[in-house]
Amino acid sequence: MKKLLILNFLFLCFLCSSQHIYAQSKTKASTDFTYLPEKGEDQYNQRIAQKTIPLSQNEFIILSRQSANSYSVEKYNTALKPAWQADIPLAGTETVEAFYKSDAAAFVITRRANETTQQLFGHRINLQTGQKQEAFLLVEAPAKGRRASIAASADGTKLLAYRYHTDNNHQIKDISSILYDSNFQKATETKYNLSDVLGILTADVKVGNNGEQYVCLISEDMNRLTVRQYKPGAPTAKVMSVLVGGVYGGQKVYILDSKFELMPNNTLYGAVLTAEEAGGKYHSLKAVKFDFEAEDMVFAEEFKFTPEYVAKVTATDKSNTTKRLEDIYLSDLFLSENGNLTVIAEKKYTEGGENAPYFAKDLHLFTYDEYMGTAWSSVLLKNQQAPADEAFTGISYNAYLSNNTLNLLTLEELEGKYDLYLRQIDTKTGKTTAPKSVRLNVANDKEQAYVKSFTTWLTDKNIITVVRPSKKANGLRLSHIQLK
């Protein structure tokens, strides 16, 4: 079985590294686009990773920065004709925290802070008319506490605003939340009492379409994974917990990174990367399905980063002189139509220093079947680099799941051609197409040529993106690309 998995891994790597071919595509429409970079943002985790949201196969909205103190939400059709523009002025140090939509409205969440308080405000914009309601105060918290936050349901009908209560050492003790509907009408207030959970490192909160809330915790010195489900009106929370770190095979391991995703079927999945305490080597990937309806946790088989796996991966990267896995972070969890769960982890880093470049490299993919049995795994090879002032705004990847096909779009230079490239992965088998050039002839100079956060898929063949298609172009262009 082990030999079979290794052969499968090598075969998939061969598929992923084969020569690229050209994709047939057509630019259906294009118009000038003004882009002002965000300043002071976490370069590894953009607060708003998706600034273009599809409304249908023919319409979409964009959140764009207009000046140092204002943003706007704009509605377009596929001919790139604007329907309306709603301006959102910012006061002082106010920042934009979130962007999402329901069937009826677009929502922008902003944060205002002074020396004593932090406040989150909601801005609601009617999708039909572009009319903006007066900003609404959602939650308030002390300025010195942990950052107040927002979670939105997949359909946009529920918004959860929450704040942390910490002790003198800034350790999380409780969380207070307020659940709103899509009109900012308060539904319920809940306090998550976490005093019985020791050493909470992270607390990630999700909200479902029916208002159920999931508090995902990493605790006990990065060893325990716990999820609590709070249903509106329920007297107590349902709790699922598992010890992920500990001593295994004589090695003390701990949780290095985690990712949780509430899927459209209302099932929560989690994945963690573990590392060895001695030396910090990556140890394994563990994935869990939290089935609260059945009151059951389903564990996937642990994927260990064996010496054989590490050797196969590092052999492809000439810049990796340490011959070990490094700088790998969990980035996405996808649930395909056939029930397969695909976990994506990406290698990304900076060399350090004020003007050092940023890099986004290999994608590690791990897929489990509907019973959380191992289906397949592979590594997609890529080598992206960006200057310090752009960081990950143009590199890394954009993903779109269509039924059982995972589409990945990347900006790369392959065989001397700098362009957006498309890879398509069959989530049932792991078979991956060679990277296909979209043939936009992206400008390859020292100026910004692509802004990934504005890329979205209206269908599996229609993409909206912001790109500078050639050196001759005066600036960035908002474009509607049709793949054939």
Side-chain angles (χ1 to χ4, degrees), residues 310-384:
V310 174
K312 296 296 186 298
V313 174
T314 58
T316 64
D317 187 358
K318 299 295 189 294
S319 65
N320 189 338
T321 58
T322 62
K323 300 305 177 184
R324 57 186 280 173
L325 300 182
E326 293 179 318
D327 304 308
I328 297 171
Y329 301 90
L330 293 167
S331 53
D332 275 309
L333 276 67
F334 290 101
L335 187 67
S336 58
E337 190 177 69
N338 64 357
N340 279 11
L341 175 72
T342 297
V343 179
I344 304 180
E346 182 179 25
K347 180 175 182 177
K348 58 182 189 178
Y349 61 94
T350 180
E351 290 184 335
E354 184 178 353
N355 296 310
Y358 282 72
F359 296 88
K361 294 195 173 183
D362 310 335
L363 292 178
H364 299 247
L365 289 86
F366 312 90
T367 296
Y368 306 93
D369 62 27
E370 59 182 313
Y371 306 106
M372 296 300 285
T374 300
W376 55 267
S377 65
S378 68
V379 176
L380 301 185
L381 309 178
K382 63 183 180 68
N383 186 8
Q384 300 168 291

Side-chain angles (χ1 to χ4, degrees), residues 33-242:
F33 186 83
T34 300
Y35 169 67
L36 296 177
E38 311 286 349
K39 299 298 182 182
E41 199 172 53
D42 181 350
Q43 301 287 30
Y44 283 88
N45 300 289
Q46 290 177 283
R47 197 162 298 282
I48 305 177
Q50 195 66 44
K51 295 175 183 172
T52 302
I53 301 177
L55 302 178
S56 68
Q57 294 186 5
N58 303 305
E59 293 182 315
F60 60 93
I61 52 175
I62 282 184
L63 172 71
S64 62
R65 188 181 180 203
Q66 299 298 310
S67 69
N69 297 310
S70 70
Y71 280 73
S72 73
V73 176
E74 299 165 274
K75 180 181 177 181
Y76 289 89
N77 60 20
T78 49
L80 304 187
K81 302 297 183 184
W84 49 255
Q85 176 175 315
D87 295 324
I88 302 172
L90 304 182
T93 58
E94 187 173 11
T95 56
V96 175
E97 297 288 296
F99 177 47
Y100 69 101
K101 63 95 178 175
S102 68
D103 288 341
F107 303 91
V108 177
I109 310 302
T110 62
R111 178 178 182 267
R112 301 176 190 173
N114 54 39
E115 293 181 355
T116 58
T117 61
Q118 53 174 314
Q119 300 171 315
L120 294 185
F121 285 85
H123 307 259
R124 186 182 189 277
I125 304 159
N126 185 293
L127 284 177
Q128 293 301 316
T129 65
Q131 183 177 0
K132 180 171 69 73
Q133 295 179 2
E134 185 177 350
F136 182 84
L137 177 60
L138 298 166
V139 71
E140 188 172 31
K144 293 183 179 180
R146 292 202 180 201
R147 195 182 191 102
S149 194
I150 289 288
S153 62
D155 64 3
T157 62
K158 303 294 185 297
L159 173 69
L160 192 75
Y162 59 95
R163 54 154 297 193
Y164 299 95
H165 301 268
T166 58
D167 60 20
N168 293 332
N169 296 317
H170 297 286
Q171 292 292 309
I172 299 171
K173 305 303 293 182
D174 304 291
I175 301 175
S176 295
S177 74
I178 306 174
L179 181 67
Y180 296 94
D181 66 15
S182 58
N183 292 308
F184 294 150
Q185 296 297 310
K186 186 184 297 184
T188 60
E189 293 189 44
T190 307
K191 187 171 184 178
Y192 316 130
N193 186 346
L194 307 175
S195 58
D196 59 323
V197 184
L198 302 176
I200 299 173
L201 177 68
T202 64
D204 187 15
V205 183
K206 307 288 185 182
V207 60
N209 294 339
N210 296 322
E212 62 279 4
Q213 298 140 48
Y214 300 84
V215 182
C216 310
L217 305 169
I218 302 298
S219 61
E220 294 185 20
D221 297 323
M222 298 180 290
N223 283 300
R224 182 172 291 278
L225 188 158
T226 301
V227 176
R228 296 188 173 191
Q229 184 200 55
Y230 296 80
K231 281 194 172 184
T236 58
K238 292 182 178 180
V239 182
M240 293 187 182
S241 184
V242 60

